[in-house]
Amino acid sequence: MSRRTKLLLKENNEAENRIQNEENESILTDITVYIRSSNINSYYQETVRRDILEMIADGEKRGETAREIIGDDYKLFCDNVIAELPRQSRKEQILSSLRDVLPSADILLLIWLGFQLVSQVNSTDPTLYFTVTAGNIFCAILCIAGAFCVVHAICRNAFDTAAVSGKTVFFTVFALLLICICANVFLPFPLLRVHALTAAGATAAVFALYKILDAKLD
């Protein structure tokens, strides 16, 4: 995220310490989680968060709770506030999504590279060329898409914990892992071979691209 967004995020995190009421803290957490799923950029998300923080903090000084200040329908309140802010353009959405995907892709690359190096250490005929299979690609896409779907579902249902229970999340993650294992077993078809240095370079390039996008985007 941009410098101004990072500064506002830091200020908001520090301002949360002003909230003393546990119920208010819980409500504020749910609101923050819900805002993360909205189609506004990170800077506007933090702006909304700051305004709500100030409302709740000022209300506490008057002896009021978040429920008394905001009302019973937190989702409707957030939607009304968000509706007043500019939405992200299609280009901004694509770039923001790419920025959010890159760290996950980089971690998966590091894990894959690590496993490949370990397998070569234990191999009788070690080589610095690694094979990328159809199962590897399928698993990477599935893990990233699945993770984003789970996170999005949790954020969108921040005020309805029954909609996305811990069991649902657990079984979803378990199913994704099971499918990945099966994919690696039943889709061993080689797509390309890459040198270890090329794989390491690709990992570094993905991280660099993430840092560039993160610095430019709100």
Side-chain angles (χ1 to χ4, degrees):
M1 59 186 69
S2 67
R3 179 176 176 79
R4 67 170 183 169
T5 305
K6 289 179 180 178
L7 289 173
L8 186 54
L9 174 63
K10 182 180 178 181
E11 291 173 4
N12 286 342
N13 289 340
E14 292 173 351
E16 278 196 9
N17 296 326
R18 295 162 53 194
I19 307 300
Q20 301 298 319
N21 184 287
E22 290 186 5
E23 181 182 356
N24 288 349
E25 287 183 5
S26 177
I27 292 170
L28 184 59
T29 297
D30 290 341
I31 288 174
T32 301
V33 170
Y34 182 75
I35 291 172
R36 298 300 184 219
S37 68
S38 61
N39 185 25
I40 56 177
N41 66 35
S42 299
Y43 180 75
Y44 286 127
Q45 289 179 16
E46 288 303 319
T47 300
V48 172
R49 184 181 169 210
R50 179 195 60 194
D51 293 343
I52 296 175
L53 261 168
E54 291 177 351
M55 288 174 58
I56 295 176
D58 291 341
E60 276 195 354
K61 294 178 182 178
R62 300 189 300 268
E64 298 174 346
T65 64
R67 190 179 299 275
E68 293 171 325
I69 300 167
I70 296 173
D72 293 325
D73 196 335
Y74 308 123
K75 181 178 182 296
L76 178 62
F77 173 80
C78 291
D79 288 340
N80 289 336
V81 174
I82 292 169
E84 299 299 320
L85 297 169
R87 301 298 182 93
Q88 293 187 100
S89 66
R90 178 61 63 181
K91 178 182 178 181
E92 289 173 329
Q93 286 182 9
I94 292 173
L95 290 177
S96 295
S97 297
L98 177 60
R99 175 197 57 189
D100 295 339
V101 163
L102 289 175
S104 301
D106 210 34
I107 291 172
L108 290 176
L109 272 171
L110 281 171
I111 292 173
W112 175 82
L113 182 57
F115 274 113
Q116 293 298 318
L117 290 172
V118 170
S119 67
Q120 292 303 314
V121 170
N122 297 323
S123 174
T124 56
D125 185 23
T127 176
L128 288 177
Y129 284 90
F130 306 145
T131 301
V132 179
T133 67
N136 295 152
I137 300 298
F138 179 83
C139 285
I141 295 173
L142 182 65
C143 285
I144 293 173
F148 272 81
C149 286
V150 169
V151 171
H152 184 74
I154 291 173
C155 291
R156 292 303 298 173
N157 294 281
F159 303 118
D160 184 11
T161 54
V164 184
S165 65
K167 283 186 177 180
T168 301
V169 174
F170 172 80
F171 283 114
T172 301
V173 172
F174 179 79
L176 288 174
L177 291 175
L178 184 60
I179 294 172
C180 282
I181 292 173
C182 292
N184 278 315
V185 172
F186 296 108
L187 296 174
F189 320 115
L191 297 179
L192 69 155
R193 284 176 63 80
V194 296
H195 194 276
L197 292 179
T198 302
T203 303
V206 169
F207 181 74
L209 179 58
Y210 160 72
K211 296 298 290 186
I212 292 171
L213 286 175
D214 191 45
K216 296 294 184 181
L217 297 174
D218 273 322

